Amino acid sequence: MFTLRYRTQELALMHAFGISRWTRTHVKNVFVELEADGIVGLGEASPNARYQESHETAEAYLAKLNFSNIGRTHDVTVLLNYINSVQPGEYAAKAAVEMAFWDWLGKKLNVPIHRLWNAPTEIGPVSSFTIGIDSDEVIRKKVAEAESFPILKVKLGTDQDEQIIQTIRSLTNKTIWVDANEGWKTLDVAKARLDFLQDKNIGMIEQPMPAAQSLEIAELKKITPIPLIADEGFTGNETLEELAHCYTGINIKLMKIGSMHKAMQTISEARKLGLKIMIGCMIETALANTAAGILSMWADYADIDGFLLLKDRPYKGFDFDAQNRVSLNSLPGLGVVEKSV
Ligand code: MG
């Protein structure tokens, strides 16, 4: 039978990090260990207030789990049926438990998870580096620090959007992905921003308007050639057909969808509808980021830089190659090791 352990750890960020909803200097993530047969699988939850989750709610959920109900299984559907039956929601905590299960299973079978799943490649898409909302001076500094990254993801959704883009464009012409984080509240504002951005080498725009404003977002999709990606608008509980009317693609994050297994099923269903696939992350260590990195082998876009925003880096997982593409290793399980600090 599996034994579950968990603990919350506060992780310091390199710099205060701001998006349209908040600015923070620390995150509190919950780390999970699932042990059986002397093998320990590792998982991580980064609960997000946007989805009514916190480290407290995650821990309260984890405290309810009792694996004597399912024994020691190799079948992920048995695990998922059980952890979903205990309580709805708590996707970050569920993602952590399932991640730990895959890490355990891969270690038990002595195989990397991406090989167990027959990944089409071990080198995925180029990953972006995220520039949060900040002062002009700090944005300049961050752009300089991100020199080796070929794609910048820039947080907008403020009344300084044009200034932020002009500052970055005065320094570099590299591709920018914009993330408005629901910050453009009306169709007029969103159209004005699209107009401004149209000749600025913008590779995509994440969540231009609030997720609930799907009719307006569908209007935007009709008038812009820039791909529109659902992030807050896609949690895993929506109808993909409806999303395909509003967006070009979806940003799948483990902390929203709650399961690598469900993420894989969603990728295949979304592909049938012509949706592009982006794999994103919350502010996570290399542990959860490597689980996301595995999913990115099937994706068009990767934004897996959470661990780079952290000063505290307790794990080592996937690497970036010289072109900043997600590059998986050959270690069993997720391919993550604890760093001796
Ligand atoms: Mg986003």
Side-chain angles (χ1 to χ4, degrees), residues 38-314:
I39 293 168
V40 178
L42 304 173
E44 177 181 5
S46 179
N48 194 297
R50 168 64 175 73
Y51 307 103
Q52 294 79 47
E53 296 182 12
S54 66
H55 69 280
E56 288 100 342
T57 68
E59 284 210 12
Y61 165 76
L62 292 168
K64 294 180 189 169
L65 297 179
N66 176 357
F67 288 93
S68 64
N69 290 312
I70 56 165
R72 180 184 108 343
T73 180
H74 284 200
D75 184 348
V76 74
T77 58
V78 170
L79 178 93
L80 291 175
N81 286 340
Y82 170 62
I83 66 177
N84 288 324
S85 73
V86 171
Q87 187 185 316
E90 294 307 327
Y91 295 103
K94 287 173 181 170
V97 173
E98 192 221 30
M99 200 185 296
F101 168 81
W102 287 117
D103 192 41
W104 177 86
L105 185 64
K107 287 171 174 168
K108 174 84 182 161
L109 303 175
N110 197 28
V111 62
I113 289 304
H114 59 274
R115 293 201 189 135
L116 192 66
W117 293 355
N118 293 313
T121 174
E122 299 187 357
I123 297 181
V126 174
S127 181
S128 57
F129 182 81
T130 304
I131 310 271
I133 292 169
D134 227 311
S135 67
D136 197 66
E137 189 193 337
V138 175
I139 286 175
R140 285 173 184 277
K141 212 171 104 192
K142 288 183 180 174
V143 170
E145 283 173 9
E147 197 183 348
S148 66
F149 295 88
I151 301 172
L152 297 178
K153 174 165 146 172
V154 178
K155 294 288 193 180
L156 296 183
T158 73
D159 49 12
Q160 309 291 319
D161 287 358
E162 297 192 4
Q163 178 60 45
I164 291 169
I165 293 296
Q166 272 159 354
T167 298
I168 295 171
R169 277 289 169 253
S170 73
L171 301 167
T172 174
N173 288 320
K174 64 178 71 164
T175 299
I176 289 176
W177 293 349
V178 162
D179 189 353
N181 283 114
E182 313 185 284
W184 302 336
K185 302 294 184 193
T186 68
L187 199 51
D188 284 346
V189 168
K191 283 180 174 173
R193 295 291 195 273
L194 286 179
D195 198 44
F196 170 76
L197 291 170
Q198 63 167 344
D199 59 353
K200 303 289 189 298
N201 190 21
I202 305 299
M204 66 144 94
I205 300 174
E206 250 182 80
Q207 206 60 48
M209 299 186 70
Q213 291 172 232
S214 50
L215 291 177
E216 284 97 334
I217 299 169
E219 282 299 303
L220 294 181
K221 189 186 172 211
K222 283 183 207 149
I223 59 168
T224 183
I226 303 175
L228 302 180
I229 309 292
D231 183 2
E232 288 86 344
F234 171 77
T235 63
N237 296 317
E238 300 77 11
T239 309
L240 290 174
E241 285 82 357
E242 284 174 20
L243 290 178
H245 288 298
C246 310
Y247 301 96
T248 322
I250 54 174
N251 184 347
I252 301 176
K253 295 178 179 170
L254 281 170
M255 300 305 149
K256 294 187 296 178
I257 199 165
S259 159
M260 296 176 78
H261 180 73
K262 185 173 174 189
M264 291 296 294
Q265 291 177 321
T266 302
I267 290 170
S268 116
E269 285 160 26
R271 288 273 182 223
K272 289 181 204 150
L273 295 165
L275 283 162
K276 296 278 188 196
I277 305 297
M278 174 175 188
I279 302 296
C281 63
M282 302 297 184
I283 301 177
E284 303 159 1
T285 72
L287 172 47
N289 272 184
T290 300
I294 293 170
L295 298 176
S296 80
M297 297 299 123
W298 288 266
D300 303 292
Y301 307 104
D303 171 33
I304 312 178
D305 65 347
F307 72 106
L308 299 175
L309 303 176
L310 290 170
K311 194 188 294 170
D312 294 328
R313 299 183 185 180

